[in-house]
Amino acid sequence: MKPISLRTRLALWMVVVEVLLLVVLTAVLVLTLKNLQNQQIENTLHLSASELNAVIDVRDGHYEVAAGETAVVRERGVMAWILSPDGQVALTIGNAENYDLPMGLPPSGQLNTGTLPDGEPVRYFVTPLLEGTDLLGTLVLAFPLSGNQIFTQQIFLGLLIAIPIVLILSVLGGVFLAGRALQPVATITHTAQKINAESLSHRIEMSLPEDEIGQLAQTFNAMLERINRAFERERQLTSDVSHELRTPLGMLKTQLSLARSRPREASALLQMMAEMEGDVDRMTRLVEQMLTLARVEQRGLTPLEIVDCAQLLQDIVADLQVSAQEHAVTLELTLPPQVDFFLLADGERLRQVFVNLIENGIKYSPEGEVVLVTAVRHWQQISISVTNKGAGISPEQIPHLFERFYRADDARARTTGGFGLGLAIAKAIVEAHGGTITVKSDSGEGSTFIVHLPTLTQNNPFLDNPLLQKEAKQFDGVCT
């Protein structure tokens, strides 16, 4: 069976709700109308009884009343039987002359519903006929109910005719309004159907209010944007890796072809194998760096831990002193005294960032210069800068420094074995920690790379582990 559309279900639900509301409304209206009619009839009977009690004249057992004095009572449709104290009908008013005294009357002072001999329903009221404190007889009043019942039936019939018309109009209106309300959903569905790996640029172009549908469209567009960026990263990764692997694979194939082209001495073959091993090592480093970049960008960081950034920098600087001495460069670390530099971070990844920045500073600094590593704290942020006095970077190159496989000095980068991935990896790691990395440089005046990281505070967005929260409280007084 074909599933029922959401528009049809909404219209049906609307009709069901309206049916229930109309049934309740009809019942309340009819009951209210009947109560009002009963109250009006009761008031009419009491008023008529009071008027008759005032105008009936009893003399020597004879009951008399002028026709003009009962005209108002007759106009109301009230009929009455005036009984003598012994229960005999002494006088009739209105249509009561056409009927015998009804049987099964209610007690004196009460009302009851009954029927006349011809079957017409009436409302009875029995009350004593008094003159002062003397009982002169009994008044039996009756009010026909047929007129009120006809009015009630007409109202009910009118509702029976109006309700289906209202429901039909509601169905048509419900289908129309549901279609209008769900039109953005149909647009979203149509857009989603057109999207594939080659057409992720499609977006929902609609002016929608900030309601649930509008938020759905915005969320859908944001999801498409994230997916598009992920696909672009994958395409870029594939393109970059294939481009970078082409050269070492070509060299490896050339070396193998040369080795097989003719017999060679063992020393020559060993030399060629050493060169091939170098090409394999180069490809291995490239793959490892690309995997690192992909893991950080798509999977985030490993479980975080509390890291003392000051101690981390001291360990890195100590480890790289030998490399600095080999390049005849002085490596210095400056830390302000009595300041805590605790971070919630992936220590190994942060070490990778700072090692990359410091090694670059050492590589590109002239002999005899100083590579300065400085850490400062600004309220809830730690800034670590690495400054070298190298050739610097031109302004047009700075916007591209953190792109994959970009080399500011391509020839020199290749001689040092670089792929242009170090800064891209550093940027991805820093941003995964909720921080930023920037560079300041002028040609001929050196460069300064600055890493900004959030400190270990209770409002750190990465502090979602209860154990880490417990440990962080130890530092809360200092860090906040």
Side-chain angles (χ1 to χ4, degrees):
M1 294 180 61
K2 184 178 180 180
I4 301 175
S5 66
L6 179 59
R7 180 173 66 176
T8 303
R9 292 202 301 270
L10 288 176
L12 291 176
W13 276 111
M14 184 182 300
V15 171
V16 170
V17 172
E18 287 191 359
V19 168
L20 294 177
L21 291 177
L22 289 173
V23 169
V24 173
L25 177 63
T26 301
V28 171
L29 180 61
V30 172
L31 290 176
T32 302
L33 182 60
K34 285 187 175 181
N35 288 333
L36 289 175
Q37 288 179 337
N38 291 335
Q39 185 65 39
Q40 184 179 8
I41 292 171
E42 184 176 342
N43 293 336
T44 299
L45 290 174
H46 279 90
L47 178 60
S48 298
S50 299
E51 292 175 348
L52 291 176
N53 214 334
V55 299
I56 294 176
D57 186 18
V58 181
R59 293 180 183 180
D60 298 330
H62 296 284
Y63 294 79
E64 298 178 357
V65 62
E69 293 177 338
T70 62
V72 175
V73 174
R74 293 196 304 272
E75 288 176 358
R76 295 186 187 125
V78 176
M79 63 184 73
W81 293 266
I82 294 87
L83 308 181
S84 61
D86 58 1
Q88 298 298 317
V89 176
L91 181 67
T92 61
I93 296 174
N95 290 334
E97 63 183 1
N98 300 323
Y99 300 99
D100 295 333
L101 180 67
M103 304 298 291
L105 295 175
S108 180
Q110 297 184 14
L111 292 94
N112 193 11
T113 300
T115 57
L116 295 174
D118 61 0
E120 182 177 1
V122 292
R123 185 80 167 166
Y124 291 118
F125 178 55
V126 178
T127 184
L129 178 62
L130 299 173
E131 184 177 352
T133 59
D134 297 333
L135 178 63
L136 302 179
T138 303
L139 291 175
V140 178
L141 291 85
F143 187 89
L145 300 178
S146 57
N148 290 336
Q149 289 179 344
I150 291 174
F151 177 74
T152 303
Q153 291 172 357
Q154 289 177 343
I155 294 295
F156 187 72
L157 180 61
L159 290 174
L160 289 180
I161 296 174
I163 286 176
I165 296 175
V166 171
L167 291 178
I168 292 173
L169 294 177
S170 298
V171 170
L172 297 177
V175 171
F176 174 75
L177 293 177
R180 289 288 301 273
L182 295 175
Q183 181 60 38
V185 177
T187 302
I188 294 173
T189 302
H190 183 65
T191 303
Q193 290 172 345
K194 295 191 299 183
I195 292 173
N196 53 45
E198 283 71 36
S199 60
L200 289 173
S201 60
H202 287 289
R203 296 293 182 271
I204 301 173
E205 302 295 340
M206 297 183 65
S207 298
L208 296 174
E210 291 294 330
D211 55 9
E212 290 81 357
I213 300 296
Q215 294 175 2
L216 174 62
Q218 294 176 6
T219 303
F220 188 77
N221 281 339
M223 179 192 68
L224 288 178
E225 186 63 30
R226 292 193 299 270
I227 295 175
N228 190 30
R229 288 199 299 267
F231 269 86
E232 288 298 328
R233 286 197 298 266
E234 292 297 330
R235 291 193 186 101
Q236 188 66 36
L237 175 64
T238 302
S239 175
D240 292 340
V241 170
S242 61
H243 174 75
E244 291 297 323
L245 288 177
R246 186 178 295 113
T247 299
L249 285 174
M251 295 178 63
L252 186 60
K253 181 176 177 58
T254 300
Q255 294 288 346
L256 289 172
S257 298
L258 289 174
R260 295 174 56 192
S261 62
R262 59 183 176 83
R264 299 179 184 274
E265 295 181 358
S267 58
L269 289 175
L270 290 175
Q271 178 64 31
M272 297 176 72
M273 292 177 64
E275 293 176 358
M276 286 186 284
E277 185 178 7
D279 291 332
V280 172
D281 291 340
R282 177 180 173 82
M283 287 187 290
T284 301
R285 290 196 304 272
L286 173 61
V287 172
E288 288 176 349
Q289 290 185 353
M290 290 303 300
L291 289 176
T292 298
L293 185 58
R295 280 194 295 265
V296 174
E297 287 183 342
Q298 298 185 12
R299 301 182 185 177
L301 303 169
T302 58
L304 306 179
E305 59 184 356
I306 297 175
V307 176
D308 185 351
C309 188
Q311 185 62 50
L312 178 65
L313 291 174
Q314 290 173 353
D315 294 341
I316 294 173
V317 169
D319 293 341
L320 295 179
Q321 286 294 349
V322 175
S323 177
Q325 293 173 3
E326 292 177 352
H327 288 78
V329 173
T330 302
L331 181 59
E332 295 183 1
L333 173 63
T334 301
L335 294 172
Q338 299 180 343
V339 176
D340 290 312
F341 290 93
F342 291 101
L343 299 170
L344 187 62
D346 183 337
E348 289 301 318
R349 294 300 184 197
L350 278 189
R351 180 182 180 87
Q352 186 176 356
V353 171
F354 297 131
V355 167
N356 179 275
L357 295 179
I358 296 173
E359 284 185 340
N360 284 346
I362 293 173
K363 290 178 182 179
Y364 298 116
S365 291
E367 294 183 1
E369 292 293 345
V370 177
V371 175
L372 181 61
V373 181
T374 305
V376 294
R377 170 146 182 182
H378 304 286
W379 187 236
Q380 294 184 356
Q381 180 176 270
I382 295 175
S383 298
I384 301 97
S385 61
V386 179
T387 303
N388 67 77
K389 297 297 182 180
I393 305 168
S394 61
E396 61 271 13
Q397 293 177 324
I398 289 179
H400 306 286
L401 279 182
F402 299 101
E403 296 178 0
R404 297 176 180 179
F405 300 105
Y406 181 81
R407 301 175 179 87
D409 185 353
D410 192 70
R412 187 171 183 181
R414 289 191 181 276
T415 59
T416 57
F419 298 101
L421 286 174
L423 292 179
I425 294 174
K427 181 175 182 292
I429 294 174
V430 170
E431 290 181 348
H433 282 86
T436 59
I437 181 170
T438 57
V439 59
K440 296 179 181 179
S441 181
D442 292 313
S443 296
E445 298 184 6
S447 305
T448 299
F449 288 83
I450 306 172
V451 175
H452 304 282
L453 294 170
T455 58
L456 179 61
T457 59
Q458 292 303 302
N459 60 352
N460 190 302
F462 296 98
L463 197 60
D464 54 0
N465 188 315
L467 296 176
L468 294 174
Q469 291 177 0
K470 182 177 179 181
E471 294 187 46
K473 290 180 181 179
Q474 304 174 11
F475 309 98
D476 192 43
V478 177
C479 296
T480 58

